[in-house]
Amino acid sequence: MDAYAREMYDVVGIGFGPSNLSLAIALEEHEANVSAGPISAAFFERQPSFGWHRNMLLPSATMQISFLKDLATFRNPVSRYSFIAYLHTSGRLVQFVNNQNFFPTRQEFHQYLEWAESNFSDRVSYGSEVTAIRLAPESVPGESGHLQVEVRQGITGVRRTVDARNVVISTGLVPRMPSGVERDDRVWHSSEFLQKYRQIETHDLKRVAVVGAGQSAAEITRFLHDALPHARVYAVIPSYGYSVADDTPFANQVFDPAAVDDYYFGTEQTREAFWRYHKNTNYSVVDDEIIRDLHRRSYDEDVRNDRRLYFLNLTRVRDVQRAGTELRVRLHSLLDTESEPLDVDALVFATGYDTMQPTGLLGDLDRYCLRDEAGRYRAERDYRLVTTPELPCGIYLQGGTEHTHGLTSSLLSNVAVRSGEIADSIIHRRAGQGLEPVVSLDAAARTG
Ligand SMILES: Cc1cc2nc3c(=O)[nH]c(=O)nc-3n(C[C@H](O)[C@H](O)[C@H](O)COP(=O)(O)OP(=O)(O)OC[C@H]3O[C@@H](n4cnc5c(N)ncnc54)[C@H](O)[C@@H]3O)c2cc1C
């Protein structure tokens, strides 16, 4: 037990990306309506400072949602943490409107997130990785008790323990690599792209390949084609080419807050239909503008008879061999059974992400969490895991509930409403238990 062992919070948030930042806002804005006193909250983030997919902040990359789907507006249109409030503070509101575009760059949205975060940095411990959650030893299962969250400080490795009545796990998507392929200084996943790219001498990159058919793959292909005018750029695509992301108005309704109810309370057939009909709104699809841009570049090279952008369609990576700085990729065409070698200087896997999986963090607590017939966690409509009555605390998920709450579970589209629903649930349950508020918000401040 350490010096922090007696800290007790109503909520401990694990991970401080946009989801838990939005929760911090919802809790603060809810306080005005809470007669029982403020909710105490502390957040732990393993990165050294706030960052939202920093390695994919490519210069021209834009948001895939409207700026109005920010951290707060859909829950509270007059929030002081809206994207519009940020624009106003930055002196860009008028020019943003003149720009007539619903979709800001990701760089601008990142600035907005940092601006919002600066109001909550006293509640966040950075460089702090949560390694385990467990039931406090003094708890009496089924009657009373709380959770203990174990945190490891980044540089020092020092461990501390924090007590919580509820935890909200929001640790984000997990980068996915093809099995058997190891990452290194020349083989990258898109989630580490800019960091790895900046560490390498760009004149060493004469042949680069990008694997994948989704938005990140197309963005990185375009970036490398721009940034390396001397290099050959290969796009390795398992399909016949990129497919367009459907963001037309009717299809977009699948991201509406109300769609969560339709999914959650729907039948198994309803849920299946959601995925069957609307997967092309988000998964392995690319914005129309970038598809057309890449095709135009390829066509121009044809006209000039000066080709350096290659689209290897219906192609998969069979394996990757590394000898020193030499990198050989064996490509397998889906048209025949042949394999072709391709020698490259860097290989980027934009092969997507797996859904958040909290099992590792839950450890022994897992035995209190109920699962469905397919072995997946059951979750209440308020994103609280369904647990046996012995567990007297709340475990909430922001992400990892695609099977119960649908497409938006890990996306920003519904982040404001989702966080608001979690905040409501925690506050109402506390009121139901007649619990008094605990330590003040300021006391939560610890930097890692
Ligand atoms: C390149 C890219 C662009 C995207 N663009 C969009 C978009 O335009 N619109 C949209 O709706 N969605 C988009 N998404 C989907 C994405 O899931 C959301 O944008 C968003 O990141 C979800 O926020 P989050 O807080 O749930 O997860 P994250 O942003 O992933 O944040 C999770 C945080 O938890 C931290 N963490 C993880 N484990 C621990 C631990 N054990 N202890 C402490 N901290 C931990 C991580 O360091 C991270 O900061 C995009 C995804 C990517 C990869």
Side-chain angles (χ1 to χ4, degrees), residues 39-325:
I39 288 278
S40 61
F43 297 89
F44 295 92
E45 167 57 52
R46 71 178 170 198
Q47 295 188 82
S49 60
F50 182 83
W52 173 64
H53 303 302
R54 275 185 190 277
N55 289 316
M56 280 300 291
L57 291 181
L58 304 176
S60 56
T62 58
M63 295 300 293
Q64 288 172 292
I65 46 165
S66 156
F67 68 91
L68 291 168
K69 293 187 174 182
D70 59 26
L71 296 166
T73 297
F74 271 29
R75 176 185 52 76
N76 175 14
V78 295
S79 169
R80 71 186 186 95
Y81 298 107
S82 69
F83 189 77
I84 289 179
Y86 156 73
L87 288 173
H88 185 255
T89 309
S90 317
R92 286 204 303 274
L93 180 56
V94 174
Q95 288 314 318
F96 183 85
V97 173
N98 286 341
N99 210 27
Q100 298 185 12
N101 193 340
F102 253 38
F103 306 97
T105 62
R106 279 213 294 274
Q107 285 183 341
E108 186 175 24
F109 203 76
H110 197 277
Q111 286 173 18
Y112 156 64
L113 294 174
E114 288 180 311
W115 167 84
E117 184 276 344
S118 65
N119 293 279
F120 295 91
S121 38
D122 61 341
R123 266 149 266 191
V124 192
S125 298
Y126 286 102
S128 301
E129 178 171 17
V130 171
T131 52
I133 315 167
R134 53 180 168 263
L135 197 57
E138 60 266 40
S139 303
V140 183
E143 286 181 28
S144 64
H146 60 269
L147 298 170
Q148 278 188 341
V149 178
E150 191 175 294
V151 184
R152 185 176 53 213
Q153 306 292 132
I155 299 167
T156 57
V158 168
R159 289 177 188 273
R160 61 193 270 203
T161 310
V162 181
D163 292 344
R165 290 181 174 145
N166 300 281
V167 292
V168 182
I169 304 177
S170 184
T171 49
L173 299 166
V174 182
R176 184 196 305 139
M177 290 288 283
S179 70
V181 179
E182 295 296 326
R183 300 193 222 174
D184 60 30
D185 59 328
R186 300 264 172 168
V187 180
W188 316 329
H189 185 266
S190 57
S191 58
E192 55 188 356
F193 175 69
L194 281 178
Q195 185 197 1
K196 288 287 175 75
Y197 177 79
R198 286 177 188 136
Q199 283 167 359
I200 210 160
E201 291 292 344
T202 48
H203 60 256
D204 287 349
L205 297 177
K206 300 194 175 62
R207 298 149 306 171
V208 292
V210 183
V211 183
Q215 180 73 15
S216 293
E219 285 178 5
I220 292 173
T221 301
R222 175 158 74 174
F223 173 84
L224 290 172
H225 192 248
D226 283 336
L228 304 173
H230 56 280
R232 291 179 176 209
V233 179
Y234 299 91
V236 181
I237 303 177
S239 56
Y240 208 71
Y242 302 111
S243 296
V244 72
D246 185 351
D247 69 344
T248 52
F250 289 112
N252 221 40
Q253 292 178 146
V254 77
F255 299 111
D256 290 357
V260 177
D261 279 337
D262 293 334
Y263 192 95
Y264 187 87
F265 297 110
T267 60
E268 219 24 72
Q269 283 97 315
T270 326
R271 286 192 273 273
E272 234 175 72
F274 261 85
W275 289 106
R276 197 170 55 245
Y277 291 118
H278 300 295
K279 222 172 167 229
N280 68 338
T281 51
N282 189 53
Y283 293 92
S284 299
V285 286
V286 181
D287 285 349
D288 182 90
E289 174 272 325
I290 186 166
I291 293 179
R292 290 180 193 284
D293 181 21
L294 284 172
H295 192 271
R296 202 194 59 243
R297 289 168 188 235
S298 168
Y299 185 77
D300 284 351
E301 289 186 357
D302 249 359
V303 171
R304 284 187 277 111
N305 196 21
D306 182 16
R307 175 155 294 282
R308 64 183 192 87
L309 177 59
Y310 298 87
F311 293 98
L312 309 179
N313 295 344
L314 292 174
T315 303
R316 286 183 182 277
V317 170
R318 178 155 275 166
D319 58 38
V320 181
Q321 290 152 8
R322 180 86 197 258
T325 54

